[in-house]
Amino acid sequence: MSLYNNHTGSRAGKTARNTVIVVLLLLFALATLFPIYFMVISSFGDPVEAGAVSYSLWPGKFTLESYSFFFNYSEYSYRWILNSTIVAGAVTVTNVFFATMAGYAFSKLRFKGRGVLFSILLAAMMIPYQVTQVPLYILIVNTFHIENTFSALILPGLVTVYNIFLAKQFMSSIPTEIMESAKVEGCSQFQIFFRIILPLSKTVMAVIAILTFMDSWNTFFWPFLVTNTMDMQTIQVGLKNFRFANTTYFSPMMAGATISAVPMFILFFSLQKYFLEGVTVGAVKG
Amino acid sequence: MAQSAQTVKKRKIKGDGVWGYAFIAVALIVYALFTAYPVFSAFLISFQEYKPLGSTYIGFDNYTATFKDDLFWKSIKNTLVYTVLTVPVALLLSFLVAIMILPLRKKLQTVFKAVYYLPVVASGVALSLVWLWIFDPMPGGIFNQFIGWFGAHNQNWLGSSATAMFSLVIMAWLSSHGASIIIYLAALLGIDDSYYEAADLDGASFLQKLWHIVLPSLKPTTLFLLVTAVIGSFQVFQNAYLMTGGGPDHATTMVGLLIFDNAFKYFEFGKAAAQSLILALIIALVSLFQFKFLGKDVDY
C-alpha cells in the first residue's frame, strides 16, 4: 500500500492513470527543455544576421558553419574553453582532496575546538555572497595584485564549506571501529586516511567532484570580475563578450552557447547517478 | 548515507588532536582568508569612503544615504515581487511533478529525474542568451509567435517596463526545478508505508492521504526548500544583469544587481558594502521569520 492504490481497482484503470501522468510530465518536460532544444537546433542554422533570421522551431537546414564562425570570431575562442577546463579541473581536485580531509577530521577525530570551528564554518554558508564580493575583489586586486591570473580564478574556490559538510555527513556513517582497529595494527592517521577512508568514500568524492566541476564551469561572476584580458577569460565570460560584440549574429551565438553547455551535458549523461545523488545529500532527513 | 549517520554512535578517535588540526589546516586558511576576513573587512569598508590609497572614515553616511535612496527601496521592492511570484510557484510545480513521478516504474522515474535536472546543468549564461532570443521583440520572436496563437499582440518583452519583470518571472517558472523535484521525490519515498496502510484501512481517499499524510510529512522538506529558495532569490543577480541590465527604467533592478552596480560600475565600494550588510540582515530576518512561523511543529 502506498499513496497510490496500486492493488485495488482495475488494471486498465491503473494503466490509464499512469498514461495520463506520463503525458502531463512529458508536456511540462517539453516546456522545461524548450530553451535547450531551441539553442541546439538554432546553432545549426546559417550564420546570417538576426534581421534575416526566421525563428523556426524546426531546423530548416543543417550546417556547422555557425560553429566555425564562433571559433573564427576571436583568436581566443579555444583559449576560453582551455581556461575553463584548467580552472574547473584545479578547483575540483583541490576540493576533493581538502574537503575529504577536513570532513574526516570533523567527523572522526577528536581535537579541541572541533565543534566551535565547524559551527563557524557552517555560519559562512548563510552569508550572502554580496557581502564578501567587494572585500574579496579588493584583496585579490589591490592587496595581492594577482588579477587576471589563474591564481585569482582558483584560490578563492580552493575548498568550499559545502563540500566539507558533504564529506562530513558521509563519513560519519563509516564505523569508527575500522579506524580504531587500523590504529591498533599500527597505522598512522595519514595511512588510515589514504588506505581506509578514501577507498570507502568514493561515492562522496565523486559527488563533490561533479558538483564542484559543474559549479566552477558554469560560474560567470567571479571570472568576469577578476579577468581583464580576453586571453584569461573563461568560456562563460567569453560568451558574454560575444553577445555584445556580435548581437546581430543569432546562430553563431547559439553555437557558442551550445559549446559552453555540451561538456556539462556529456558529463551529466555519463555520471547521472552521482549528480542526482548529490542533490539530496544534506537536504533530506531520513 | 545521511540516514545511517543518525544511527551510528558519535564516537571519535582519541589522541590524534594534532592530526585533526593538520587535516583541517588548508580549509581553515582558505576560510580565514577568503571568507572570514572579507566579512570583517566589509564591516570596516561600510563605514568608509573607500579609496585605493587611504580611505576616509565617514561613520554611518553610507547607511543613511542608502535609506534615503529611492532606487534602493525600489530594488528591494523588485526583489520582493520577484521572490513572491517565483518561489511559491516553483515549489508547487516541483511538488506536483514529484507526486506525479512517484507511481511510475523505477526506470521511468530515473528518466524524468534526469530530464528535469538537465537545465540545471546547462550554463546560466548560455540559457540567458537563449531566453533573450525567445523574448525577441520582433513579431517573429518565439514567444510573440506563441502568444499570437492565442490572439495576443506582440510585445517588447524585455524592453518595456510593463513586461520586463514578468518576462524574468516566466523564465524562472520554466527553468531549473530539477533539484527541488529530486529532493521532494526523495522525501516522498521516505514516507513510511505503515501510515498509508493505516489510512487505507480507514478507507481514506487519495486526496485525504495527500492532505493528512503527505503534506505533514513533507513539511520539513518544504521549509528547507522554501528557506533556501528565498535566500537564493534575494541574491538573484545574473539573470537580471544579463537579460535586462536592471532596466528598463529600473523595473528589474534587483538589490543584488544594485549592489553590483554600486561596486563595480560606480566604484562606490563603501556604499556597496553597507548595502550588502543590510541585505544580509534582511535575509537573516526573513529566514528567521520563516522558521518561527512555518517551522512551529517541525522537529529536526
Side-chain angles (χ1 to χ4, degrees), chain B residues 8 16 35 182-183 221 236 244 249 276 291:
Chain B
V8 172
D16 281 312
T35 305
I182 289 161
I183 289 170
T221 310
V236 87
T244 61
D249 194 23
S276 73
F291 274 112

Side-chain angles (χ1 to χ4, degrees), chain B:
Chain B
M1 255 178 296
Q3 296 92 305
S4 44
Q6 309 289 332
T7 55
V8 172
K9 241 196 298 173
K10 295 238 156 136
R11 210 137 48 99
K12 311 279 171 188
I13 297 173
K14 286 182 215 166
D16 281 312
V18 181
W19 281 104
Y21 294 120
F23 278 26
I24 62 169
V26 175
L28 279 191
I29 292 169
V30 170
Y31 175 82
L33 202 56
F34 298 120
T35 305
Y37 168 76
V39 170
F40 172 73
S41 178
F43 271 104
L44 297 184
I45 295 172
S46 75
F47 295 109
Q48 294 169 350
E49 175 158 12
Y50 183 88
K51 292 189 198 87
L53 307 163
S55 308
T56 26
Y57 176 81
I58 54 166
F60 283 92
D61 283 8
N62 286 323
Y63 290 91
T64 44
T66 294
F67 285 122
K68 278 188 213 144
D69 185 356
D70 288 340
L71 190 54
F72 177 75
W73 294 112
K74 185 164 189 183
S75 75
I76 295 276
K77 197 196 107 200
N78 285 339
T79 310
L80 276 175
V81 167
Y82 180 79
T83 304
V84 167
L85 288 179
T86 56
V87 172
V89 174
L91 282 191
L92 185 69
L93 283 176
S94 314
F95 174 74
L96 289 178
V97 169
I99 279 281
M100 288 198 288
I101 291 180
L102 190 64
L104 303 179
R105 268 172 297 131
K106 196 94 192 157
K107 270 233 170 82
L108 219 49
Q109 287 192 358
T110 313
V111 169
F112 276 117
K113 279 203 279 189
V115 163
Y116 285 115
Y117 197 71
L118 192 64
V120 183
V121 173
S123 123
V125 181
L127 285 182
S128 63
L129 289 182
V130 180
W131 278 97
L132 274 174
W133 289 107
I134 292 177
F135 284 128
D136 192 274
M138 302 301 284
I142 293 289
F143 202 70
N144 277 333
Q145 282 186 32
F146 176 75
I147 61 162
W149 297 344
F150 301 97
H153 294 292
N154 66 298
Q155 303 281 328
N156 186 359
W157 291 101
L158 293 163
S160 136
S161 53
T163 49
M165 176 64 90
F166 181 64
S167 309
L168 291 185
V169 169
I170 289 182
M171 186 180 160
W173 281 348
L174 287 180
S175 43
S176 305
H177 305 308
S180 27
I181 289 171
I182 289 161
I183 289 170
Y184 260 135
L185 196 61
L188 282 170
L189 291 168
I191 298 176
D192 197 14
D193 270 349
S194 58
Y195 294 121
Y196 296 125
E197 280 164 23
D200 282 332
L201 287 179
D202 291 336
S205 70
F206 173 79
L207 283 179
Q208 282 171 324
K209 283 191 273 186
L210 202 61
W211 182 256
H212 293 290
I213 299 171
V214 173
L215 287 186
S217 309
L218 289 191
K219 218 173 154 183
T221 310
T222 304
L223 186 65
F224 170 85
L225 289 175
L226 181 70
V227 172
T228 47
V230 169
I231 290 176
S233 176
F234 268 86
Q235 297 179 57
V236 87
F237 155 78
Q238 192 166 306
N239 281 356
Y241 177 74
L242 292 170
M243 303 279 297
T244 61
D249 194 23
H250 296 296
T252 56
T253 301
M254 313 284 181
V255 64
L257 182 59
L258 181 73
I259 295 172
F260 175 86
D261 280 349
N262 277 329
F264 302 108
K265 206 161 151 190
Y266 310 119
F267 294 98
E268 298 243 29
F269 285 159
K271 200 170 171 192
Q275 289 172 345
S276 73
L277 289 168
I278 297 170
L279 175 65
L281 190 70
I282 295 174
I283 290 178
L285 288 176
V286 170
S287 305
L288 202 70
F289 178 84
Q290 293 176 79
F291 274 112
K292 187 117 184 146
F293 289 91
L294 302 170
K296 252 186 222 153
D297 37 72
V298 174
D299 65 318
Y300 284 91

Side-chain angles (χ1 to χ4, degrees), chain A residues 140-162:
Chain A
I140 294 291
V141 174
N142 292 354
T143 312
F144 291 160
H145 298 289
I146 52 170
E147 76 265 36
N148 218 30
T149 63
F150 281 118
S151 309
L153 291 167
I154 293 167
L155 283 179
L158 221 47
V159 48
T160 67
V161 174
Y162 181 67

Side-chain angles (χ1 to χ4, degrees), chain A residues 205-284:
Chain A
M205 288 164 75
V207 167
I208 291 176
I210 282 161
L211 295 184
T212 308
F213 191 88
M214 176 174 95
D215 242 35
S216 187
W217 181 272
N218 284 342
T219 192
F220 160 73
F221 179 67
W222 184 248
F224 171 61
L225 272 189
V226 296
T227 57
N228 47 33
T229 56
M230 300 255 280
D231 64 314
M232 280 310 294
Q233 286 171 349
T234 58
I235 178 75
Q236 308 301 341
V237 186
L239 272 186
K240 187 183 172 282
N241 288 331
F242 195 73
R243 180 197 148 189
F244 280 105
N246 251 315
T247 326
T248 49
Y249 285 96
F250 172 63
S251 289
M253 203 155 90
M254 290 300 105
T258 307
I259 289 165
S260 83
V262 156
M264 286 318 306
F265 289 158
I266 293 172
L267 269 186
F268 178 67
F269 282 119
S270 43
L271 300 165
Q272 203 202 89
K273 173 175 163 252
Y274 296 105
F275 273 93
L276 299 180
E277 203 165 310
V279 180
T280 51
V281 178
V284 181

